[in-house]
Structure formats: C-alpha cells, structure tokens
Amino acid sequence: MREDMYKVIVERPRRGKEGYTIAARLRNDFDGPMRHGMRAGYGYRDLNENLAPLRRYLHAQIGRPWNKVFSEICAGIDRRNTVQQHIHQHIRDLLSIDVDVREGRLFDLAPRWGFLGRHSDISQELYVDPRTGLIRLNRNYRPWRHEVAERRRRDHAEIAMRRRVVDERTVLLLLDDVWFRVEFDLLPKERLVESVVDGKPHRRTTAESRYDVVLRRNISRAILADRQQCEHLYGSGDLYAVNKRQISIGEIRAHRLRKVTEGA
C-alpha cells in the first residue's frame, strides 16, 4: 500500500453545502427563533473522499490472506489518528470481514445497517472467506445504482398493470381489482399569505383543498402526504380525481387490460 494513501483518500477540499436549502429557509423564516447559532442557517460542507484508490488496492489483494493485507494496511494507516482511522471504517464498506456460510449462502455477521444481531447476505464487493481466510470476489454483488434501476423498472411494471393513460386528464385505474375510468383536474396552486402578528411579520404557504372521489376526502397541494399519494396513484402530485366510473367488460377487452377477479 502506498504511504500517502490516507492523503489521497481523505485530504481533498470539501464540496458543496449539505442542507443549504433548509438552512436558507431557516435563516429567512420570520416565524422561527429570533436567534440562531453561529453556523445555523448556512449549512455544512460535505466530505469529498476519494475511495477509488482504496477500492483498487483491495481488488489487487484478491486471493491473499486477509490477516497479511490487514497488517500492511495498519502499517501505512495509523488507527490512532482520527483522520486515518476514518479509512478503516470505509474498508468495511468495500470488504465484508465477518462472514459465515449457511446452507451454501454467505452471511454477513456484522451488517452495517439493520437491527443489532440481525444477519443478512453480504452486500460488499469483496469478502473474507471464513474457511480459508483469503479475500474473495463477491459474485453476487450488484452496485446500488443497479439496484435502484431494477427497483424503478419493477415500479414502472407494477404501475403499468394498474394504470393506463387515456389522455393527460384521464386514466384507467385498477382499484381493488376493479377497473375505473378516472378524470382529473389540477389542484389549486399554493400561495404565500403574509400577515402581521404582535407587530411581527408572519408568512405561511397555503392552498385551497378539493374533494378527491378516489381518496374520498379533501386534499391540498400544500400537504406533502396528499401530493405523495396522488403521485403514487395518478402519476402526478398536482392532480385530484373529480370523477370515476366502473368500465365495462367490453372496454376492458378493448384496452387489453387484466381481467378483474371473480366476485369483484
């Protein structure tokens, strides 16, 4: 391992500001506290770590005993140093060390997420073979981007099974195994209301509510939960259902929809 590995990984300028949008809102909120901490309202810069050299080094050690590799890492990266100790934490992001084999499957005995004591399949690119102590490549590893893309494809397939778009204001929607023709309209836009209370300016965002015939309640664009539910059902958080009717068997066949279950 190169002697300056910790510098290559950690010592780079920080980037951006985490939570800057929330911080700016906090700073400009007239309804909030009159005083804030010195850093409140300005956000925090993210770490700008470069893990590619560490990943390449570990991949180059495939087939070698983990104990020897760990000794080399400790010789170049001092865990007594706070900055360098941070690199040891990233090793477990790339390499699963505590592994067990059960019924032909590899299990992580020290999962990074989840409840304490709960074991799961290893999710890192590499692992230490519990039988030989050698570093091995995880053949079942899939990058998180691939997992996200696959989940998105599954969601789109599930949506296609329960929702068919007729036009921008009409869809065919499967509700409790019954197909309905649902018509939409736009929810009223949000507006900023300014007022003065006890001599202090107050601002709040509001929007008129509308009755949704599918959800069977009043919803508003200003309520995040309502917009999320509309996004899931209708494909847009700006719409609400104004009319619905059950479609006929002929319409189901014409649109080549999945048949309703018996007794629905």
Side-chain angles (χ1 to χ4, degrees):
M1 172 178 283
R2 53 189 295 177
E3 296 180 357
D4 62 342
M5 178 68 79
Y6 72 94
K7 294 183 180 180
V8 175
I9 295 176
V10 176
E11 295 187 358
R12 296 202 305 181
R14 292 191 172 190
R15 62 183 178 184
K17 279 193 175 181
E18 183 178 358
Y20 182 78
T21 303
I22 299 176
R25 188 184 306 129
L26 177 66
R27 187 169 62 248
N28 299 324
D29 185 10
F30 291 104
D31 297 331
M34 296 181 61
R35 296 179 178 83
H36 299 291
M38 293 181 62
R39 298 189 65 180
Y42 294 94
Y44 299 88
R45 291 196 178 275
D46 292 330
L47 292 175
N48 191 14
E49 299 166 323
N50 179 22
L51 298 180
L54 180 61
R55 179 180 288 105
R56 288 195 297 267
Y57 170 79
L58 291 176
H59 274 265
Q61 310 309 311
I62 293 177
R64 294 190 60 203
W66 163 243
N67 290 338
K68 291 185 178 180
V69 175
F70 185 67
S71 298
E72 294 176 2
I73 293 175
C74 292
I77 301 177
D78 188 359
R79 286 188 293 178
R80 295 172 297 181
N81 181 286
T82 303
V83 175
Q84 298 183 37
Q85 182 187 21
H86 188 64
I87 299 176
H88 282 268
Q89 298 173 354
H90 281 300
I91 291 176
R92 288 185 176 270
D93 293 335
L94 306 173
L95 174 70
S96 180
I97 300 173
D98 303 314
V99 181
D100 191 15
V101 179
R102 301 177 182 177
E103 299 180 356
R105 294 176 56 187
L106 298 172
F107 282 86
D108 190 352
L109 300 181
R112 294 170 294 165
W113 301 286
F115 297 102
L116 185 63
R118 183 178 179 180
H119 307 325
S120 61
D121 295 339
I122 60 175
S123 58
Q124 294 91 324
E125 306 172 39
L126 307 171
Y127 70 96
V128 178
D129 193 325
R131 294 160 293 196
T132 62
L134 304 179
I135 299 177
R136 298 297 187 190
L137 183 65
N138 180 12
R139 301 293 181 182
N140 297 322
Y141 170 75
R142 300 194 65 186
W144 65 269
R145 290 183 179 86
H146 292 181
E147 296 290 344
V148 172
E150 184 177 349
R151 189 180 308 115
R152 187 179 294 114
R153 286 193 295 269
R154 290 197 302 265
D155 291 343
H156 288 170
E158 189 269 336
I159 289 173
M161 291 182 61
R162 63 176 173 82
R163 186 174 70 212
R164 295 290 179 86
V165 177
V166 177
D167 55 48
E168 61 180 7
R169 295 292 180 90
T170 308
V171 300
L172 303 179
L173 201 62
L174 183 65
L175 303 171
D176 296 328
D177 276 329
V178 179
W179 283 100
F180 290 89
R181 182 184 179 91
V182 182
E183 298 177 356
F184 302 111
D185 199 354
L186 288 173
L187 285 167
K189 293 184 178 181
E190 297 176 330
R191 56 190 178 90
L192 185 64
V193 177
E194 298 183 356
S195 60
V196 178
V197 179
D198 297 331
K200 299 179 181 179
H202 286 256
R203 296 186 300 177
R204 62 187 179 89
T205 302
T206 184
E208 296 182 14
S209 63
R210 291 290 187 270
Y211 184 79
D212 188 294
V213 297
V214 173
L215 300 177
R216 298 181 180 178
R217 59 181 175 84
N218 288 325
I219 63 173
S220 170
R221 191 193 290 255
I223 301 177
L224 179 60
D226 289 346
R227 298 191 64 175
Q228 290 176 338
Q229 194 166 12
C230 291
E231 175 73 28
H232 176 72
L233 283 174
Y234 313 142
S236 173
D238 300 329
L239 302 175
Y240 75 101
V242 297
N243 185 33
K244 74 170 184 176
R245 68 169 178 83
Q246 184 176 348
I247 64 176
S248 65
I249 297 297
E251 290 176 297
I252 291 178
R253 292 172 180 171
H255 289 281
R256 298 181 179 179
L257 303 175
R258 183 176 67 85
K259 294 183 178 180
V260 295
T261 57
E262 295 182 4

